PDB file of all heavy atoms in Angstrom:
ATOM      1  N   ASP A   1       0.894  -1.151   0.023  1.00  0.00           N
ATOM      2  CA  ASP A   1       0.008   0.013  -0.004  1.00  0.00           C
ATOM      3  C   ASP A   1       0.931   1.219  -0.007  1.00  0.00           C
ATOM      4  O   ASP A   1       1.410   1.688   1.048  1.00  0.00           O
ATOM      5  CB  ASP A   1      -0.875  -0.012   1.237  1.00  0.00           C
ATOM      6  CG  ASP A   1      -1.885   1.119   1.216  1.00  0.00           C
ATOM      7  OD1 ASP A   1      -1.859   1.944   0.279  1.00  0.00           O
ATOM      8  OD2 ASP A   1      -2.709   1.192   2.170  1.00  0.00           O
ATOM      9  N   PRO A   2       1.147   1.782  -1.177  1.00  0.00           N
ATOM     10  CA  PRO A   2       2.100   2.860  -1.272  1.00  0.00           C
ATOM     11  C   PRO A   2       1.612   4.219  -0.681  1.00  0.00           C
ATOM     12  O   PRO A   2       2.377   5.125  -0.549  1.00  0.00           O
ATOM     13  CB  PRO A   2       2.420   2.984  -2.750  1.00  0.00           C
ATOM     14  CG  PRO A   2       1.222   2.424  -3.435  1.00  0.00           C
ATOM     15  CD  PRO A   2       0.699   1.372  -2.480  1.00  0.00           C
ATOM     16  N   TYR A   3       0.344   4.351  -0.469  1.00  0.00           N
ATOM     17  CA  TYR A   3      -0.198   5.605   0.012  1.00  0.00           C
ATOM     18  C   TYR A   3      -0.897   5.496   1.353  1.00  0.00           C
ATOM     19  O   TYR A   3      -1.768   6.311   1.682  1.00  0.00           O
ATOM     20  CB  TYR A   3      -1.095   6.190  -1.032  1.00  0.00           C
ATOM     21  CG  TYR A   3      -0.410   6.516  -2.301  1.00  0.00           C
ATOM     22  CD1 TYR A   3      -0.449   5.719  -3.385  1.00  0.00           C
ATOM     23  CD2 TYR A   3       0.475   7.632  -2.341  1.00  0.00           C
ATOM     24  CE1 TYR A   3       0.239   6.047  -4.550  1.00  0.00           C
ATOM     25  CE2 TYR A   3       1.146   7.940  -3.491  1.00  0.00           C
ATOM     26  CZ  TYR A   3       1.042   7.118  -4.639  1.00  0.00           C
ATOM     27  OH  TYR A   3       1.777   7.446  -5.741  1.00  0.00           O
ATOM     28  N   ARG A   4      -0.554   4.526   2.146  1.00  0.00           N
ATOM     29  CA  ARG A   4      -1.241   4.391   3.461  1.00  0.00           C
ATOM     30  C   ARG A   4      -0.854   5.558   4.333  1.00  0.00           C
ATOM     31  O   ARG A   4      -1.655   5.991   5.206  1.00  0.00           O
ATOM     32  CB  ARG A   4      -0.781   3.082   4.182  1.00  0.00           C
ATOM     33  CG  ARG A   4      -1.529   2.965   5.533  1.00  0.00           C
ATOM     34  CD  ARG A   4      -1.247   1.687   6.199  1.00  0.00           C
ATOM     35  NE  ARG A   4      -1.544   0.519   5.345  1.00  0.00           N
ATOM     36  CZ  ARG A   4      -1.189  -0.714   5.645  1.00  0.00           C
ATOM     37  NH1 ARG A   4      -0.399  -0.934   6.700  1.00  0.00           N
ATOM     38  NH2 ARG A   4      -1.539  -1.653   4.875  1.00  0.00           N
ATOM     39  N   ASN A   5       0.230   6.222   4.158  1.00  0.00           N
ATOM     40  CA  ASN A   5       0.606   7.349   4.954  1.00  0.00           C
ATOM     41  C   ASN A   5      -0.297   8.492   4.790  1.00  0.00           C
ATOM     42  O   ASN A   5      -0.443   9.375   5.658  1.00  0.00           O
ATOM     43  CB  ASN A   5       2.028   7.819   4.619  1.00  0.00           C
ATOM     44  CG  ASN A   5       2.250   8.203   3.207  1.00  0.00           C
ATOM     45  OD1 ASN A   5       1.832   7.448   2.302  1.00  0.00           O
ATOM     46  ND2 ASN A   5       2.786   9.325   2.943  1.00  0.00           N
ATOM     47  N   LEU A   6      -1.136   8.562   3.751  1.00  0.00           N
ATOM     48  CA  LEU A   6      -2.087   9.609   3.514  1.00  0.00           C
ATOM     49  C   LEU A   6      -3.292   9.446   4.395  1.00  0.00           C
ATOM     50  O   LEU A   6      -4.164  10.391   4.522  1.00  0.00           O
ATOM     51  CB  LEU A   6      -2.540   9.678   2.063  1.00  0.00           C
ATOM     52  CG  LEU A   6      -1.424   9.971   1.028  1.00  0.00           C
ATOM     53  CD1 LEU A   6      -1.972   9.984  -0.409  1.00  0.00           C
ATOM     54  CD2 LEU A   6      -0.820  11.298   1.370  1.00  0.00           C
ATOM     55  N   GLU A   7      -3.416   8.279   5.113  1.00  0.00           N
ATOM     56  CA  GLU A   7      -4.585   8.118   5.983  1.00  0.00           C
ATOM     57  C   GLU A   7      -4.358   8.855   7.259  1.00  0.00           C
ATOM     58  O   GLU A   7      -5.337   9.098   7.993  1.00  0.00           O
ATOM     59  CB  GLU A   7      -4.759   6.625   6.220  1.00  0.00           C
ATOM     60  CG  GLU A   7      -5.137   5.809   5.102  1.00  0.00           C
ATOM     61  CD  GLU A   7      -5.170   4.273   5.369  1.00  0.00           C
ATOM     62  OE1 GLU A   7      -4.993   3.908   6.519  1.00  0.00           O
ATOM     63  OE2 GLU A   7      -5.329   3.544   4.442  1.00  0.00           O
ATOM     64  N   ASN A   8      -3.133   9.218   7.613  1.00  0.00           N
ATOM     65  CA  ASN A   8      -2.874   9.925   8.861  1.00  0.00           C
ATOM     66  C   ASN A   8      -3.083  11.437   8.620  1.00  0.00           C
ATOM     67  O   ASN A   8      -2.173  12.100   8.160  1.00  0.00           O
ATOM     68  CB  ASN A   8      -1.411   9.649   9.243  1.00  0.00           C
ATOM     69  CG  ASN A   8      -1.055  10.298  10.688  1.00  0.00           C
ATOM     70  OD1 ASN A   8      -1.939  10.962  11.232  1.00  0.00           O
ATOM     71  ND2 ASN A   8       0.172  10.199  11.015  1.00  0.00           N
ATOM     72  N   LEU A   9      -4.257  11.912   8.909  1.00  0.00           N
ATOM     73  CA  LEU A   9      -4.597  13.348   8.720  1.00  0.00           C
ATOM     74  C   LEU A   9      -3.975  14.293   9.725  1.00  0.00           C
ATOM     75  O   LEU A   9      -4.208  15.498   9.586  1.00  0.00           O
ATOM     76  CB  LEU A   9      -6.087  13.508   8.695  1.00  0.00           C
ATOM     77  CG  LEU A   9      -6.820  12.680   7.570  1.00  0.00           C
ATOM     78  CD1 LEU A   9      -8.315  12.893   7.668  1.00  0.00           C
ATOM     79  CD2 LEU A   9      -6.263  13.049   6.241  1.00  0.00           C
ATOM     80  N   GLU A  10      -3.215  13.773  10.663  1.00  0.00           N
ATOM     81  CA  GLU A  10      -2.503  14.612  11.654  1.00  0.00           C
ATOM     82  C   GLU A  10      -1.008  14.810  11.240  1.00  0.00           C
ATOM     83  O   GLU A  10      -0.380  15.667  11.837  1.00  0.00           O
ATOM     84  CB  GLU A  10      -2.630  14.095  12.999  1.00  0.00           C
ATOM     85  CG  GLU A  10      -4.078  14.013  13.492  1.00  0.00           C
ATOM     86  CD  GLU A  10      -4.145  13.368  14.913  1.00  0.00           C
ATOM     87  OE1 GLU A  10      -3.147  12.989  15.459  1.00  0.00           O
ATOM     88  OE2 GLU A  10      -5.303  13.316  15.368  1.00  0.00           O
ATOM     89  N   ASP A  11      -0.584  14.173  10.197  1.00  0.00           N
ATOM     90  CA  ASP A  11       0.768  14.289   9.699  1.00  0.00           C
ATOM     91  C   ASP A  11       0.943  15.603   8.908  1.00  0.00           C
ATOM     92  O   ASP A  11       0.107  15.864   8.054  1.00  0.00           O
ATOM     93  CB  ASP A  11       1.136  13.092   8.819  1.00  0.00           C
ATOM     94  CG  ASP A  11       2.558  13.063   8.327  1.00  0.00           C
ATOM     95  OD1 ASP A  11       3.350  13.955   8.788  1.00  0.00           O
ATOM     96  OD2 ASP A  11       2.922  12.257   7.460  1.00  0.00           O
ATOM     97  N   SER A  12       1.954  16.385   9.210  1.00  0.00           N
ATOM     98  CA  SER A  12       2.193  17.643   8.583  1.00  0.00           C
ATOM     99  C   SER A  12       2.372  17.500   7.105  1.00  0.00           C
ATOM    100  O   SER A  12       2.001  18.383   6.276  1.00  0.00           O
ATOM    101  CB  SER A  12       3.292  18.423   9.212  1.00  0.00           C
ATOM    102  OG  SER A  12       4.535  17.729   9.073  1.00  0.00           O
ATOM    103  N   THR A  13       3.048  16.432   6.650  1.00  0.00           N
ATOM    104  CA  THR A  13       3.199  16.164   5.208  1.00  0.00           C
ATOM    105  C   THR A  13       1.915  15.970   4.512  1.00  0.00           C
ATOM    106  O   THR A  13       1.697  16.531   3.414  1.00  0.00           O
ATOM    107  CB  THR A  13       4.073  14.914   5.010  1.00  0.00           C
ATOM    108  OG1 THR A  13       5.270  15.090   5.784  1.00  0.00           O
ATOM    109  CG2 THR A  13       4.468  14.813   3.579  1.00  0.00           C
ATOM    110  N   VAL A  14       1.003  15.241   5.089  1.00  0.00           N
ATOM    111  CA  VAL A  14      -0.319  15.023   4.474  1.00  0.00           C
ATOM    112  C   VAL A  14      -1.119  16.294   4.503  1.00  0.00           C
ATOM    113  O   VAL A  14      -1.770  16.609   3.480  1.00  0.00           O
ATOM    114  CB  VAL A  14      -1.063  13.924   5.275  1.00  0.00           C
ATOM    115  CG1 VAL A  14      -2.473  13.685   4.690  1.00  0.00           C
ATOM    116  CG2 VAL A  14      -0.297  12.581   5.203  1.00  0.00           C
ATOM    117  N   ILE A  15      -1.110  17.030   5.583  1.00  0.00           N
ATOM    118  CA  ILE A  15      -1.814  18.299   5.624  1.00  0.00           C
ATOM    119  C   ILE A  15      -1.316  19.244   4.579  1.00  0.00           C
ATOM    120  O   ILE A  15      -2.146  19.884   3.839  1.00  0.00           O
ATOM    121  CB  ILE A  15      -1.733  18.922   7.058  1.00  0.00           C
ATOM    122  CG1 ILE A  15      -2.416  18.065   8.114  1.00  0.00           C
ATOM    123  CG2 ILE A  15      -2.233  20.341   7.105  1.00  0.00           C
ATOM    124  CD1 ILE A  15      -2.160  18.422   9.504  1.00  0.00           C
ATOM    125  N   ASN A  16      -0.012  19.419   4.404  1.00  0.00           N
ATOM    126  CA  ASN A  16       0.572  20.291   3.355  1.00  0.00           C
ATOM    127  C   ASN A  16       0.168  19.790   2.009  1.00  0.00           C
ATOM    128  O   ASN A  16      -0.105  20.614   1.063  1.00  0.00           O
ATOM    129  CB  ASN A  16       2.073  20.352   3.554  1.00  0.00           C
ATOM    130  CG  ASN A  16       2.408  21.083   4.804  1.00  0.00           C
ATOM    131  OD1 ASN A  16       1.706  21.880   5.352  1.00  0.00           O
ATOM    132  ND2 ASN A  16       3.625  20.780   5.264  1.00  0.00           N
ATOM    133  N   TRP A  17       0.134  18.526   1.767  1.00  0.00           N
ATOM    134  CA  TRP A  17      -0.215  17.919   0.468  1.00  0.00           C
ATOM    135  C   TRP A  17      -1.743  18.300   0.173  1.00  0.00           C
ATOM    136  O   TRP A  17      -2.016  18.700  -0.959  1.00  0.00           O
ATOM    137  CB  TRP A  17       0.037  16.411   0.389  1.00  0.00           C
ATOM    138  CG  TRP A  17      -0.446  15.871  -0.928  1.00  0.00           C
ATOM    139  CD1 TRP A  17       0.105  15.963  -2.170  1.00  0.00           C
ATOM    140  CD2 TRP A  17      -1.619  15.046  -1.129  1.00  0.00           C
ATOM    141  NE1 TRP A  17      -0.579  15.286  -3.056  1.00  0.00           N
ATOM    142  CE2 TRP A  17      -1.695  14.731  -2.449  1.00  0.00           C
ATOM    143  CE3 TRP A  17      -2.624  14.576  -0.229  1.00  0.00           C
ATOM    144  CZ2 TRP A  17      -2.712  13.942  -2.979  1.00  0.00           C
ATOM    145  CZ3 TRP A  17      -3.613  13.797  -0.776  1.00  0.00           C
ATOM    146  CH2 TRP A  17      -3.612  13.473  -2.109  1.00  0.00           C
ATOM    147  N   LEU A  18      -2.554  18.100   1.174  1.00  0.00           N
ATOM    148  CA  LEU A  18      -3.969  18.361   0.919  1.00  0.00           C
ATOM    149  C   LEU A  18      -4.219  19.898   0.641  1.00  0.00           C
ATOM    150  O   LEU A  18      -5.046  20.254  -0.188  1.00  0.00           O
ATOM    151  CB  LEU A  18      -4.776  17.954   2.183  1.00  0.00           C
ATOM    152  CG  LEU A  18      -4.962  16.477   2.323  1.00  0.00           C
ATOM    153  CD1 LEU A  18      -5.603  16.164   3.755  1.00  0.00           C
ATOM    154  CD2 LEU A  18      -5.789  15.882   1.281  1.00  0.00           C
ATOM    155  N   LYS A  19      -3.490  20.727   1.340  1.00  0.00           N
ATOM    156  CA  LYS A  19      -3.570  22.145   1.121  1.00  0.00           C
ATOM    157  C   LYS A  19      -3.077  22.525  -0.308  1.00  0.00           C
ATOM    158  O   LYS A  19      -3.667  23.334  -1.001  1.00  0.00           O
ATOM    159  CB  LYS A  19      -2.782  22.956   2.115  1.00  0.00           C
ATOM    160  CG  LYS A  19      -3.393  22.982   3.516  1.00  0.00           C
ATOM    161  CD  LYS A  19      -2.637  23.788   4.519  1.00  0.00           C
ATOM    162  CE  LYS A  19      -3.279  23.749   5.842  1.00  0.00           C
ATOM    163  NZ  LYS A  19      -2.466  24.438   6.869  1.00  0.00           N
ATOM    164  N   ALA A  20      -1.993  21.879  -0.703  1.00  0.00           N
ATOM    165  CA  ALA A  20      -1.485  22.138  -2.068  1.00  0.00           C
ATOM    166  C   ALA A  20      -2.515  21.626  -3.163  1.00  0.00           C
ATOM    167  O   ALA A  20      -2.732  22.246  -4.190  1.00  0.00           O
ATOM    168  CB  ALA A  20      -0.153  21.444  -2.276  1.00  0.00           C
ATOM    169  N   GLN A  21      -3.133  20.517  -2.889  1.00  0.00           N
ATOM    170  CA  GLN A  21      -4.171  19.963  -3.777  1.00  0.00           C
ATOM    171  C   GLN A  21      -5.350  20.976  -3.899  1.00  0.00           C
ATOM    172  O   GLN A  21      -5.892  21.235  -4.960  1.00  0.00           O
ATOM    173  CB  GLN A  21      -4.716  18.637  -3.295  1.00  0.00           C
ATOM    174  CG  GLN A  21      -3.759  17.479  -3.572  1.00  0.00           C
ATOM    175  CD  GLN A  21      -3.746  17.073  -4.996  1.00  0.00           C
ATOM    176  OE1 GLN A  21      -4.734  17.101  -5.711  1.00  0.00           O
ATOM    177  NE2 GLN A  21      -2.577  16.753  -5.490  1.00  0.00           N
ATOM    178  N   GLY A  22      -5.718  21.507  -2.722  1.00  0.00           N
ATOM    179  CA  GLY A  22      -6.822  22.460  -2.731  1.00  0.00           C
ATOM    180  C   GLY A  22      -6.453  23.774  -3.471  1.00  0.00           C
ATOM    181  O   GLY A  22      -7.312  24.313  -4.210  1.00  0.00           O
ATOM    182  N   ALA A  23      -5.252  24.241  -3.263  1.00  0.00           N
ATOM    183  CA  ALA A  23      -4.799  25.440  -4.002  1.00  0.00           C
ATOM    184  C   ALA A  23      -4.726  25.195  -5.516  1.00  0.00           C
ATOM    185  O   ALA A  23      -5.104  26.078  -6.321  1.00  0.00           O
ATOM    186  CB  ALA A  23      -3.443  25.910  -3.456  1.00  0.00           C
ATOM    187  N   TYR A  24      -4.249  24.005  -5.888  1.00  0.00           N
ATOM    188  CA  TYR A  24      -4.206  23.634  -7.304  1.00  0.00           C
ATOM    189  C   TYR A  24      -5.603  23.569  -7.923  1.00  0.00           C
ATOM    190  O   TYR A  24      -5.870  24.196  -8.986  1.00  0.00           O
ATOM    191  CB  TYR A  24      -3.497  22.308  -7.500  1.00  0.00           C
ATOM    192  CG  TYR A  24      -3.603  21.785  -8.976  1.00  0.00           C
ATOM    193  CD1 TYR A  24      -2.767  22.316  -9.905  1.00  0.00           C
ATOM    194  CD2 TYR A  24      -4.525  20.827  -9.276  1.00  0.00           C
ATOM    195  CE1 TYR A  24      -2.882  21.939 -11.222  1.00  0.00           C
ATOM    196  CE2 TYR A  24      -4.639  20.359 -10.593  1.00  0.00           C
ATOM    197  CZ  TYR A  24      -3.764  20.869 -11.540  1.00  0.00           C
ATOM    198  OH  TYR A  24      -3.835  20.502 -12.853  1.00  0.00           O
ATOM    199  N   ALA A  25      -6.528  22.961  -7.202  1.00  0.00           N
ATOM    200  CA  ALA A  25      -7.986  22.910  -7.704  1.00  0.00           C
ATOM    201  C   ALA A  25      -8.524  24.287  -7.815  1.00  0.00           C
ATOM    202  O   ALA A  25      -9.251  24.608  -8.796  1.00  0.00           O
ATOM    203  CB  ALA A  25      -8.769  22.032  -6.790  1.00  0.00           C
ATOM    204  N   TYR A  26      -8.359  25.113  -6.798  1.00  0.00           N
ATOM    205  CA  TYR A  26      -8.931  26.494  -6.848  1.00  0.00           C
ATOM    206  C   TYR A  26      -8.360  27.270  -7.956  1.00  0.00           C
ATOM    207  O   TYR A  26      -9.101  27.941  -8.691  1.00  0.00           O
ATOM    208  CB  TYR A  26      -8.550  27.190  -5.470  1.00  0.00           C
ATOM    209  CG  TYR A  26      -9.221  28.554  -5.383  1.00  0.00           C
ATOM    210  CD1 TYR A  26     -10.541  28.708  -5.033  1.00  0.00           C
ATOM    211  CD2 TYR A  26      -8.434  29.670  -5.605  1.00  0.00           C
ATOM    212  CE1 TYR A  26     -11.078  29.980  -4.996  1.00  0.00           C
ATOM    213  CE2 TYR A  26      -8.923  30.906  -5.497  1.00  0.00           C
ATOM    214  CZ  TYR A  26     -10.257  31.098  -5.198  1.00  0.00           C
ATOM    215  OH  TYR A  26     -10.848  32.375  -5.154  1.00  0.00           O
ATOM    216  N   SER A  27      -7.070  27.188  -8.170  1.00  0.00           N
ATOM    217  CA  SER A  27      -6.419  28.017  -9.307  1.00  0.00           C
ATOM    218  C   SER A  27      -6.941  27.442 -10.692  1.00  0.00           C
ATOM    219  O   SER A  27      -7.105  28.249 -11.577  1.00  0.00           O
ATOM    220  CB  SER A  27      -4.914  27.951  -9.224  1.00  0.00           C
ATOM    221  OG  SER A  27      -4.419  26.657  -9.522  1.00  0.00           O
ATOM    222  N   SER A  28      -7.112  26.195 -10.748  1.00  0.00           N
ATOM    223  CA  SER A  28      -7.591  25.591 -12.053  1.00  0.00           C
ATOM    224  C   SER A  28      -9.044  26.087 -12.296  1.00  0.00           C
ATOM    225  O   SER A  28      -9.381  26.386 -13.391  1.00  0.00           O
ATOM    226  CB  SER A  28      -7.630  24.038 -11.959  1.00  0.00           C
ATOM    227  OG  SER A  28      -6.334  23.560 -11.883  1.00  0.00           O
ATOM    228  N   LEU A  29      -9.870  26.092 -11.294  1.00  0.00           N
ATOM    229  CA  LEU A  29     -11.218  26.559 -11.459  1.00  0.00           C
ATOM    230  C   LEU A  29     -11.335  28.092 -11.709  1.00  0.00           C
ATOM    231  O   LEU A  29     -12.170  28.528 -12.473  1.00  0.00           O
ATOM    232  CB  LEU A  29     -12.085  26.225 -10.212  1.00  0.00           C
ATOM    233  CG  LEU A  29     -12.311  24.763  -9.977  1.00  0.00           C
ATOM    234  CD1 LEU A  29     -13.005  24.475  -8.663  1.00  0.00           C
ATOM    235  CD2 LEU A  29     -13.163  24.151 -11.113  1.00  0.00           C
ATOM    236  N   GLN A  30     -10.421  28.833 -11.147  1.00  0.00           N
ATOM    237  CA  GLN A  30     -10.361  30.289 -11.327  1.00  0.00           C
ATOM    238  C   GLN A  30      -9.907  30.589 -12.802  1.00  0.00           C
ATOM    239  O   GLN A  30     -10.236  31.743 -13.237  1.00  0.00           O
ATOM    240  CB  GLN A  30      -9.558  30.951 -10.379  1.00  0.00           C
ATOM    241  CG  GLN A  30     -10.065  30.840  -8.941  1.00  0.00           C
ATOM    242  CD  GLN A  30     -11.365  31.529  -8.805  1.00  0.00           C
ATOM    243  OE1 GLN A  30     -11.682  32.611  -9.293  1.00  0.00           O
ATOM    244  NE2 GLN A  30     -12.286  30.801  -8.105  1.00  0.00           N
ATOM    245  N   ASN A  31      -9.174  29.741 -13.389  1.00  0.00           N
ATOM    246  CA  ASN A  31      -8.601  30.063 -14.726  1.00  0.00           C
ATOM    247  C   ASN A  31      -9.527  29.586 -15.891  1.00  0.00           C
ATOM    248  O   ASN A  31      -9.082  29.640 -17.057  1.00  0.00           O
ATOM    249  CB  ASN A  31      -7.229  29.445 -14.877  1.00  0.00           C
ATOM    250  CG  ASN A  31      -6.203  30.148 -14.016  1.00  0.00           C
ATOM    251  OD1 ASN A  31      -6.293  31.340 -13.810  1.00  0.00           O
ATOM    252  ND2 ASN A  31      -5.279  29.452 -13.488  1.00  0.00           N
ATOM    253  N   ILE A  32     -10.667  29.131 -15.621  1.00  0.00           N
ATOM    254  CA  ILE A  32     -11.634  28.723 -16.650  1.00  0.00           C
ATOM    255  C   ILE A  32     -12.018  29.990 -17.455  1.00  0.00           C
ATOM    256  O   ILE A  32     -12.455  30.936 -16.862  1.00  0.00           O
ATOM    257  CB  ILE A  32     -12.807  27.959 -16.090  1.00  0.00           C
ATOM    258  CG1 ILE A  32     -12.426  26.585 -15.466  1.00  0.00           C
ATOM    259  CG2 ILE A  32     -13.871  27.755 -17.201  1.00  0.00           C
ATOM    260  CD1 ILE A  32     -13.503  25.890 -14.776  1.00  0.00           C
ATOM    261  N   ALA A  33     -11.877  29.856 -18.733  1.00  0.00           N
ATOM    262  CA  ALA A  33     -12.241  31.048 -19.652  1.00  0.00           C
ATOM    263  C   ALA A  33     -13.754  31.210 -19.544  1.00  0.00           C
ATOM    264  O   ALA A  33     -14.539  30.258 -19.533  1.00  0.00           O
ATOM    265  CB  ALA A  33     -11.825  30.731 -21.066  1.00  0.00           C
ATOM    266  N   ASN A  34     -14.230  32.447 -19.418  1.00  0.00           N
ATOM    267  CA  ASN A  34     -15.613  32.842 -19.421  1.00  0.00           C
ATOM    268  C   ASN A  34     -16.348  32.200 -18.217  1.00  0.00           C
ATOM    269  O   ASN A  34     -17.492  31.743 -18.297  1.00  0.00           O
ATOM    270  CB  ASN A  34     -16.304  32.530 -20.738  1.00  0.00           C
ATOM    271  CG  ASN A  34     -15.756  33.295 -21.841  1.00  0.00           C
ATOM    272  OD1 ASN A  34     -15.488  34.489 -21.732  1.00  0.00           O
ATOM    273  ND2 ASN A  34     -15.520  32.629 -22.977  1.00  0.00           N
ATOM    274  N   ARG A  35     -15.648  31.993 -17.098  1.00  0.00           N
ATOM    275  CA  ARG A  35     -16.141  31.283 -15.958  1.00  0.00           C
ATOM    276  C   ARG A  35     -17.516  31.878 -15.506  1.00  0.00           C
ATOM    277  O   ARG A  35     -18.428  31.119 -15.220  1.00  0.00           O
ATOM    278  CB  ARG A  35     -15.092  31.326 -14.908  1.00  0.00           C
ATOM    279  CG  ARG A  35     -15.479  30.591 -13.610  1.00  0.00           C
ATOM    280  CD  ARG A  35     -14.285  30.742 -12.615  1.00  0.00           C
ATOM    281  NE  ARG A  35     -14.737  30.283 -11.297  1.00  0.00           N
ATOM    282  CZ  ARG A  35     -15.132  31.069 -10.423  1.00  0.00           C
ATOM    283  NH1 ARG A  35     -15.230  32.382 -10.633  1.00  0.00           N
ATOM    284  NH2 ARG A  35     -15.545  30.663  -9.216  1.00  0.00           N
ATOM    285  N   GLN A  36     -17.558  33.247 -15.311  1.00  0.00           N
ATOM    286  CA  GLN A  36     -18.742  33.805 -14.788  1.00  0.00           C
ATOM    287  C   GLN A  36     -19.942  33.590 -15.731  1.00  0.00           C
ATOM    288  O   GLN A  36     -21.036  33.388 -15.317  1.00  0.00           O
ATOM    289  CB  GLN A  36     -18.525  35.310 -14.468  1.00  0.00           C
ATOM    290  CG  GLN A  36     -19.689  35.882 -13.737  1.00  0.00           C
ATOM    291  CD  GLN A  36     -19.881  35.221 -12.366  1.00  0.00           C
ATOM    292  OE1 GLN A  36     -18.981  34.973 -11.628  1.00  0.00           O
ATOM    293  NE2 GLN A  36     -21.146  34.914 -12.093  1.00  0.00           N
ATOM    294  N   ARG A  37     -19.694  33.647 -16.971  1.00  0.00           N
ATOM    295  CA  ARG A  37     -20.744  33.455 -17.928  1.00  0.00           C
ATOM    296  C   ARG A  37     -21.329  32.016 -17.855  1.00  0.00           C
ATOM    297  O   ARG A  37     -22.494  31.800 -17.935  1.00  0.00           O
ATOM    298  CB  ARG A  37     -20.270  33.674 -19.408  1.00  0.00           C
ATOM    299  CG  ARG A  37     -21.311  33.642 -20.467  1.00  0.00           C
ATOM    300  CD  ARG A  37     -20.791  34.004 -21.850  1.00  0.00           C
ATOM    301  NE  ARG A  37     -19.822  33.060 -22.375  1.00  0.00           N
ATOM    302  CZ  ARG A  37     -20.200  31.901 -22.973  1.00  0.00           C
ATOM    303  NH1 ARG A  37     -21.485  31.668 -23.199  1.00  0.00           N
ATOM    304  NH2 ARG A  37     -19.247  31.098 -23.469  1.00  0.00           N
TER     305      ARG A  37
END
């Protein structure tokens, strides 16, 4: 199980990865052309 370490939500590495994933998703959604339309 190469990603079992991601189950530990108190690990700072996992928390930082989740925050980076959230930032990536937010920036991707903000860059959609004609988003408001």
Side-chain angles (χ1 to χ4, degrees):
D1 184 358
Y3 296 104
R4 183 176 301 166
N5 60 312
L6 296 179
E7 295 175 7
N8 183 4
L9 298 179
E10 296 177 0
D11 183 10
S12 63
T13 306
V14 175
I15 293 170
N16 292 336
W17 175 73
L18 288 171
K19 287 180 181 179
Q21 285 285 322
Y24 172 77
Y26 183 79
S27 69
S28 296
L29 292 172
Q30 293 301 315
N31 289 328
I32 294 174
N34 298 317
R35 181 177 167 268
Q36 190 59 46
R37 187 175 67 84

